[in-house]
Amino acid sequence: MSQIFLTNSPKHCAKHGLNVNKLPKKLLYGFSTFLLSFFSLAILVWVILHPSKPEFYLKEADIYQLNLSAPHLLNSSIQLTLISKNPNKKVGVYYDQLQIYASYKGQQITLYTSLPPFYQGHEDSNLLSASLVGTGLPVAPSFGYEVGRDQTAGRLILSLKVNGQLRWKVGSWVSGRYRFNVNCVTIMNFGPDSVSAPVSSRQGSSCSTTV
């Protein structure tokens, strides 16, 4: 016994008011409308909240070593503590990457030190401590002269820098990654006795932040 299969052709469907060719266009239009509405809502929330950039403060810094092992090779050891603050009332911050190093007169005098990533809630503050070291770092020929001149003047200007990436969190929505840079400048007492004793700075000075 034979079986007969009946199928409706596109022409037959068209007679009954069903246009097969228009279905993909309707689905694409609906999906595009949904995406546009979603991104418009996200942008609107972003504009309304307008998160402020995080704030950083240098709590303390100690230089334990800063000397030349050869004419142009530097050994350094610096311990520092920063305060990180999120000033936003409705926006959290994910710190995905934090790299800290020290600079003197435009020259990097320590290697990068990485801190573990963390989340910072609304209006929260965190203490960030890091040990910065450098062994046999190449420096400019004038480095020893510059340090000697600052030692005679009795003060040394040091820059402590942070490079990183962050994400904003609003409710369950999380933004993409943004690069940020922090620069903390501190003036430290640096006299003849500084060769044998640690040089300390506890000014609680604010740092400049760019996002």
Side-chain angles (χ1 to χ4, degrees):
M1 182 172 133
S2 61
Q3 293 182 346
I4 299 175
F5 295 92
L6 298 176
T7 59
N8 293 329
S9 66
K11 291 183 178 180
H12 180 77
C13 294
K15 291 180 180 179
H16 290 80
L18 180 62
N19 192 331
V20 179
N21 294 328
K22 289 186 178 181
L23 284 178
K25 293 183 179 179
K26 290 183 178 179
L27 290 175
L28 181 61
Y29 177 77
F31 183 68
S32 301
T33 303
F34 170 76
L35 285 181
L36 182 61
S37 301
F38 175 79
F39 284 114
S40 297
L41 179 61
I43 293 173
L44 181 62
V45 171
W46 180 261
V47 170
I48 293 174
L49 295 175
H50 191 63
S52 299
K53 59 188 178 182
E55 300 171 357
F56 286 83
Y57 303 89
L58 177 63
K59 187 173 186 290
E60 59 185 31
D62 299 292
I63 300 178
Y64 290 96
Q65 186 180 18
L66 189 66
N67 55 52
L68 295 171
S69 58
H72 309 311
L73 298 178
L74 175 69
N75 294 330
S76 59
S77 176
I78 301 172
Q79 179 74 32
L80 65 88
T81 301
L82 295 172
I83 298 175
S84 169
K85 181 181 179 181
N86 175 15
N88 298 285
K89 295 182 178 180
K90 297 181 179 180
V91 182
V93 183
Y94 283 106
Y95 291 96
D96 294 329
Q97 186 182 78
L98 291 142
Q99 290 188 324
I100 306 178
Y101 68 96
S103 175
Y104 171 76
K105 294 188 182 297
Q107 300 182 74
Q108 185 171 338
I109 59 172
T110 68
L111 298 175
Y112 290 99
T113 295
S114 296
L115 296 181
F118 66 96
Y119 173 75
Q120 192 170 55
H122 311 156
E123 297 184 302
D124 280 352
S125 297
N126 296 83
L127 283 177
L128 309 176
S129 297
S131 297
L132 311 179
V133 296
T135 303
L137 293 180
V139 291
S142 62
F143 184 87
Y145 169 76
E146 296 288 351
V147 172
R149 189 172 66 173
D150 285 348
Q151 195 169 28
T152 301
R155 68 173 193 172
L156 179 143
I157 301 176
L158 191 69
S159 294
L160 301 163
K161 299 177 179 290
V162 183
N163 297 333
Q165 293 183 350
L166 61 78
R167 290 175 294 158
W168 307 106
K169 183 178 183 297
V170 182
S172 59
W173 177 78
V174 180
S175 73
R177 286 184 172 87
Y178 290 85
R179 293 186 179 275
F180 72 95
N181 304 99
V182 180
N183 184 28
C184 306
V185 179
T186 181
I187 301 175
M188 313 178 76
N189 294 325
F190 192 64
D193 296 335
S194 301
V195 177
S196 57
V199 181
S200 300
S201 173
R202 289 170 173 79
Q203 301 176 13
S205 57
S206 61
C207 308
S208 61
T209 305
T210 57
V211 179

